[in-house]
Amino acid sequence: QEVILDHYKNPLNKKLAPTFDAQVHHINPSCGDEITLNLTAVDGVITAITWDGVGCSISQASTSVVSDLIRGRTISEALTIIAAFQAMIQSKGTDSGDEELLGDGVAFAGVSKFPARVKCALLGWMAVKDAISQATAQKQ
């Protein structure tokens, strides 16, 4: 709870960078949360993730966490981390997450018990995954 509130009140990387390799806009139609996310990757390493958006504390805090956690990682590492977060958040409370891998992301483990909030927590993570896909497709 405290980690989520801290990321909501003091979001990391919440200012869209003017240059990027991929930009995505994701909306959660069930509650109206939305984010625009910019991603830059150089030589297979994510060098920048910036974003802006509106929504509930869970979607905004979760996007803050992923934007900080993934920066500096290889694309392969980033996709592994995103998959682990997705498995935890869709576990209905059976997976408490690997803090070594997910960092502050484990604070969202409890959200998995509330199906209506799972999409909120996943919004930023799925946007990053989409942006990675776009950025890598452009460089091929």
Side-chain angles (χ1 to χ4, degrees), residues 18-42:
T19 59
F20 49 85
D21 293 329
Q23 181 177 72
V24 297
H25 184 76
H26 280 222
I27 299 171
N28 180 351
S30 62
C31 65
D33 292 355
E34 60 181 281
I35 63 162
T36 300
L37 184 137
N38 293 350
L39 180 138
T40 303
V42 177

Side-chain angles (χ1 to χ4, degrees), residues 10-69:
N10 306 295
L12 303 171
N13 308 303
K14 189 174 181 180
K15 183 178 186 211
L16 288 172
T19 59
F20 49 85
D21 293 329
Q23 181 177 72
V24 297
H25 184 76
H26 280 222
I27 299 171
N28 180 351
S30 62
C31 65
D33 292 355
E34 60 181 281
I35 63 162
T36 300
L37 184 137
N38 293 350
L39 180 138
T40 303
V42 177
D43 297 328
V45 175
I46 297 167
T47 57
I49 297 179
T50 59
W51 63 282
D52 198 8
V54 293
C56 68
S57 59
I58 291 173
S59 73
Q60 300 296 288
S62 187
T63 304
S64 172
V65 167
V66 71
S67 73
D68 191 51
L69 185 62

Side-chain angles (χ1 to χ4, degrees), residues 2 9 11 28 38 44 64 74 81 94 101-102 115 122 126 137 140:
E2 202 170 305
K9 290 177 183 173
N28 180 351
N38 293 350
S64 172
T74 67
I81 292 167
T94 61
L101 188 62
L102 297 175
L122 279 173
M126 295 301 97
Q140 289 180 356

Side-chain angles (χ1 to χ4, degrees), residues 1 10-11 13 34-35 39 76 82 91 100 103 113 119 131:
Q1 289 276 355
N10 306 295
N13 308 303
E34 60 181 281
I35 63 162
L39 180 138
S76 175
I82 291 167
S91 74
E100 191 81 19
K113 297 175 188 168
K119 282 185 180 177

